[in-house]
Structures are given as C-alpha cells and as structure tokens.
Amino acid sequence: MFGDLAVKTWLRRIPGLADAYHRARIFSSMAYWRWWVDPGRQNDRSILTDEWHFSAPETKARYARILEIVSAMRPAGSWGNALELGCAEGFFTQELAARCSSVMACDISQVARSRTAERCASFPNVRVAACDVEHLDLPDRFDLVFAMGVLEFIRGSARFERTALRLPKILNPEGLLILNACRLPGIVRGRKWTGWMACDADQMVDFLSHQKSWRLLHHEFHTEPRAGSAAAVEQVIAVLGKAE
C-alpha cells in the first residue's frame, strides 16, 4: 500500500510524469500482447474469466445499436447470409440467426466456438467454424460481414492493412462490412509507435474509407461504461459497402 501511495505522490509532484507513466504502462501492455501472447489461448482465458462481459447490459445495448443501424440499411425480411468474425460466446450470433438466412460464426478460440455452438444449438441456420481473421480462406461470399471486437487484436497497422485488403473478396456486390472496434486511450492516440503493435479504431476507419474498394456509409462513436471501473471504453461503429 505504501508503495502505491509513494508512486501516486511522485506522479503528482513532477509535471508531465503522470502522463509519461501512464503511456509507459500502455506501451508495456501493448508490447506484451504484440510479442508474447498466443491469441487463441488468451481468448480462451478471457472468455473463461468473463473479462469482456458479453452478457452485460452495456454490451447488449451496443449490440442493439448495431442491429438498429443495419436494419436501416437492409430491406424488411431476411438479411441474407452473414459472417461473424469473432463470435465470442454467441450472444450476438443469436441475434443474427433470427434475422439472417444463414450465419457462419467464426472464432480463433475453442472455448468461444464451443459456447457459441451450445448457445445456438436451436438455430439450424448457424454454422460454427475455426478461423483466424488474418488468414481467411473462405469459398463463400456473404451479404454481411461483422467484425466486432476482433480487428484491434491484429498485431500492428501493417498486418491490419493486409487483412483489410482481403475483406472485399468475401463480400457480395451489395454486401456490408460492419466494424466495431475500440479506440486507443486518448493519452497515446495518434502516437506513431502504437502502429507497430496495434491498430486504433480511428486508423481502421480512415484506412478503409480511403480505399477504392470501399464506401463509408455510417460512422459513429460509442462510449461504453466499463464494468467495475470509473473509466469508459471509447469505441467506433462503422458500416462500409463495396464500391461499384
């Protein structure tokens, strides 16, 4: 306890030190994810410990907002066939199953796939599969591709850009890409070194919207309270269509 108090005291006394300290902590966390974490195993652990609170009211509210946005862009009736990249525990998959003719729910995590398959067992139009978003090799084409809380885990802007350039190939001509991703903390947002280890939601939208193959149809910011914390998570919700 004394150590924590001492650190906080020094951070308050020296101008600029608090910001530098927080940036260093964020850098070390991002570096850990970039070089030492196995994505599949880490996702397994995160789901088993409920780290991301998929069943929380705040998460469900974000899901509802995304469904509302897509509903305004699709005609009444079935939304066609959908690909969900990063199905987690299947809560959002259930929503898609009720609206789409078929849903392919993918995740790198075995735990996620098992829980999604169990939760969606009553939906014959749901297929659960293993996939790595950076190495998509799918023969099918989809009317909707949902990438929610998954692209920010690609390790570095260069790898994100390579992945993003392949996404139009899995969409039908009138298809939509629905992107939901977290923004980096404001204290490091825009710093060049962040691009070596992660891609910020703002960078994702900026990159995609400047590609000839995409049209930005919708873009909004979403602030979501974080369970058990006074801080909130800043996110982006964006919808892109294939350019004609």
Side-chain angles (χ1 to χ4, degrees), residues 117-136:
E118 181 179 357
R119 182 161 281 112
C120 297
S122 62
F123 293 100
N125 59 335
V126 172
R127 177 162 55 105
V128 180
C131 79
D132 182 344
V133 69
E134 291 190 64
H135 303 96
L136 287 176

Side-chain angles (χ1 to χ4, degrees), residues 2 37 104 119 133 137 140 211 224 236:
F2 175 77
V37 169
M104 183 174 180
R119 182 161 281 112
V133 69
D137 185 18
D140 300 329
Q211 301 304 305
E224 187 170 306
V236 163

Side-chain angles (χ1 to χ4, degrees), residues 42-51 89 111 115:
Q42 180 60 40
N43 285 349
D44 284 347
R45 286 193 294 269
S46 296
I47 291 173
L48 289 170
T49 59
D50 195 28
E51 178 182 350
E89 297 193 51
V111 175
R115 292 196 175 182

Side-chain angles (χ1 to χ4, degrees), residues 84 87 104-109 113 116 127-132 138:
E84 184 185 14
C87 58
M104 183 174 180
C106 299
D107 208 291
I108 197 173
S109 163
R113 297 194 300 271
T116 296
R127 177 162 55 105
V128 180
C131 79
D132 182 344
L138 302 172

